[in-house]
Amino acid sequence: MSSSSGQRIPVNRFGLTEVFSPTPAKPEVDVVFVHGLNGHPHNTWTSENARVFWPSQILPGFLEEEKARVLVYGYDADVTTFTDGASRDKIHNHAEHMIAELVANRRIRKASERPIIWVAHSLGGLVVKRALIYSAEIRGMKTEHLRSIFVSTYGILFLGTPHHGSDVAQWGNRLEWICSVMLPKKVMDSQSQLIDALKTNNETLQNIDRQFIQILSRFHIYFFHEGKPTDLKGTLKFIVDETSASPTVQDVERAVIQADHSHMCKFDNESAPGFDLVAEGIQRYAGEAPAKIKRNWAAENQERTSVKHAEAAEATELYSGTRFESTFELNLTKRIASVKNTPPQRDTPQKNTPHSDSNSTFGNSSLGREQKALPSTEGQAEFDEHFTVEDITNDKELA
């Protein structure tokens, strides 16, 4: 595989691979490709006849002004990823790993706030959706760096991704058809029990669809659907039909690529059906993204600062109150201890007063006894505010 400059670049089977970067210019946008079921970070995007890997061999020529860096992401996209259900949400695991890798890749290059454009084929679109849902939900100070992917995402191009998840039976049929196209026959035969599970065990996929709707309006979205049916054992079918791949959503772009489901993401050259549509979408998003994402980050940083100030103020108020209470309690304890440790003393006899031998610390003047104050008057105002001193009418020490 070679880049547009003719340099051969090996593509990692798993994880991120940078397949093009503008030189000597500094990249201003990241374009990330994500494959689907049984896909491959190189083969999914490579034409079968001419073996053209268009993300690095064709696309960069249309992104020179936009200074875009191009990456592909690979993961273990076997059939169990999309059939294990909510109890074993492998899509979420893939989404977490992808977010972590992309964050690390960008942070070490001091590019955490660089705009992102996603290009996803088939069920790879579900992994991208889940990744953005995960990133958007992060609020903790210790993990807020993982939220950068959500904040930096400008647009997503979905190629043949099933979005309509309200009909459980239809979900099962569509996923079964995708497996029929994307999986080798021997795998279909050996994993028939997993294929059967598609008809009932897709709660995770439906949840992703519902959750993503809540954040969809934040991004620029471009839906592409296949224009040619696929031959499934002699029957022609649209694997992901227009209704599912390009649902009618307000302020979302829609287009058709005149190819079947498997080939709608492979372009031999710039004249291949659908290439202009996809390349123009990426180019336009790449040009518009920097200004919008800069505003996103300004708002995000302002919100983070406000939250930190509020938390600091709350902590200061709590600390001050606790400190006052602790100081008061300490002083009170000292005063009481001082009283308890004071030896009992006989009162000085008063003239014409028959009762002058009380051992009480607090006397009653009406009975001829003398009242004594606490040994220390420091903090007396605090003490008086919280306690009422009562007369003691018998001759007992303060216990």
Side-chain angles (χ1 to χ4, degrees):
M1 184 273 302
S2 63
S3 68
S4 59
S5 62
Q7 180 183 2
R8 293 186 62 82
I9 302 175
V11 173
N12 299 324
R13 175 65 184 86
F14 302 116
L16 281 170
T17 303
E18 180 184 291
V19 297
F20 177 81
S21 183
T23 54
K26 182 179 180 180
E28 295 183 4
V29 179
D30 282 344
V31 181
V32 185
F33 287 76
V34 182
H35 64 77
L37 177 67
N38 202 46
H40 187 281
H42 176 265
N43 298 341
T44 292
W45 314 104
T46 301
S47 63
E48 295 177 354
N49 296 325
R51 303 303 299 169
V52 173
F53 181 63
W54 68 273
S56 71
Q57 293 179 269
I58 306 178
L59 182 62
F62 294 86
L63 300 175
E64 292 180 356
E65 293 184 10
E66 291 71 23
K67 301 180 179 61
R69 183 174 69 134
V70 181
L71 305 98
V72 293
Y73 182 76
Y75 60 101
D76 185 10
D78 62 14
V79 67
T80 60
T81 293
F82 303 97
T83 60
D84 273 4
S87 62
R88 294 180 61 192
D89 189 352
K90 286 191 175 182
I91 294 181
H92 178 70
N93 292 340
H94 289 316
E96 279 190 333
H97 296 162
M98 183 169 69
I99 290 293
E101 286 210 34
L102 190 54
V103 166
N105 179 281
R106 288 156 56 87
R107 279 178 66 87
I108 62 176
R109 290 166 176 78
K110 311 300 181 184
S112 293
E113 298 184 10
R114 182 185 295 162
I116 301 171
I117 297 167
W118 300 89
V119 182
H121 176 242
S122 192
L123 298 182
L126 301 180
V127 177
V128 172
K129 283 183 177 182
R130 191 66 188 86
L132 291 172
I133 293 168
Y134 165 67
S135 181
E137 292 174 344
I138 292 174
R139 292 293 181 181
M141 290 180 62
K142 296 179 180 178
T143 54
E144 65 180 11
H145 60 288
L146 299 175
R147 184 175 161 82
S148 65
I149 303 304
F150 169 73
V151 179
S152 295
T153 293
Y154 179 81
I156 314 165
L157 290 84
F158 292 105
L159 280 63
T161 295
H163 299 287
H164 209 298
S166 59
D167 189 325
V168 175
Q170 276 289 61
W171 258 111
N173 290 334
R174 289 192 182 104
L175 293 172
E176 183 178 12
W177 297 339
I178 292 172
C179 286
S180 299
V181 173
M182 306 308 297
L183 297 176
K185 185 177 184 303
K186 61 180 181 180
V187 175
M188 288 288 291
D189 294 340
S190 64
Q191 299 193 38
S192 59
Q193 72 280 9
L194 292 176
I195 308 305
D196 290 340
L198 290 169
K199 295 184 180 298
T200 58
N201 202 7
N202 46 61
E203 179 183 352
T204 297
L205 308 186
Q206 294 182 79
N207 287 340
I208 291 173
D209 191 53
R210 286 192 290 266
Q211 288 177 290
F212 187 73
I213 290 175
Q214 305 303 315
I215 59 175
L216 181 146
S217 61
R218 183 183 179 95
F219 314 119
H220 283 67
I221 303 293
Y222 208 149
F223 292 144
F224 293 90
H225 58 275
E226 59 212 57
K228 291 186 177 181
T230 299
D231 187 349
L232 292 180
K233 301 177 181 179
T235 303
L236 295 177
K237 288 184 178 295
F238 287 100
I239 304 304
V240 183
D241 61 21
E242 180 179 353
T243 302
S244 180
S246 298
T248 302
V249 179
Q250 185 177 3
D251 209 22
V252 168
E253 298 177 84
R254 305 165 69 251
V256 59
I257 296 177
Q258 292 300 328
D260 62 26
H261 186 77
S262 180
H263 296 90
M264 66 185 303
C265 56
K266 299 173 171 63
F267 304 117
D268 283 326
N269 51 59
E270 59 189 69
S271 299
F275 175 79
D276 281 352
L277 288 168
V278 175
E280 186 277 333
I282 298 173
Q283 182 188 73
R284 175 159 43 86
Y285 287 177
E288 298 170 348
K292 174 62 167 64
I293 299 306
K294 184 177 181 180
R295 293 194 297 272
N296 282 3
W297 274 107
E300 178 74 12
N301 290 329
Q302 183 177 7
E303 180 181 353
R304 291 182 183 182
T305 300
S306 298
V307 170
K308 290 176 182 178
H309 286 170
E311 291 176 347
E314 182 179 353
T316 300
E317 182 179 354
L318 179 63
Y319 173 74
S320 299
T322 302
R323 184 181 180 187
F324 172 80
E325 291 175 2
S326 299
T327 302
F328 175 77
E329 290 172 359
L330 178 61
N331 291 337
L332 178 60
T333 302
K334 288 180 179 179
R335 288 195 292 272
I336 292 177
S338 176
V339 172
K340 292 180 67 176
N341 293 331
T342 301
Q345 296 180 2
R346 307 292 294 184
D347 288 339
T348 302
Q350 301 290 322
K351 186 177 181 179
N352 300 325
T353 303
H355 303 288
S356 59
D357 59 346
S358 173
N359 293 332
S360 173
T361 302
F362 301 103
N364 189 325
S365 59
S366 65
L367 297 178
R369 298 190 181 106
E370 177 185 351
Q371 286 191 343
K372 290 186 179 182
L374 287 171
S376 172
T377 59
E378 179 183 359
Q380 186 67 40
E382 292 180 355
F383 187 86
D384 292 341
E385 181 181 342
H386 291 80
F387 294 86
T388 301
V389 179
E390 296 181 354
D391 290 336
I392 299 176
T393 59
N394 54 10
D395 296 338
K396 292 183 179 179
E397 291 181 20
L398 180 63

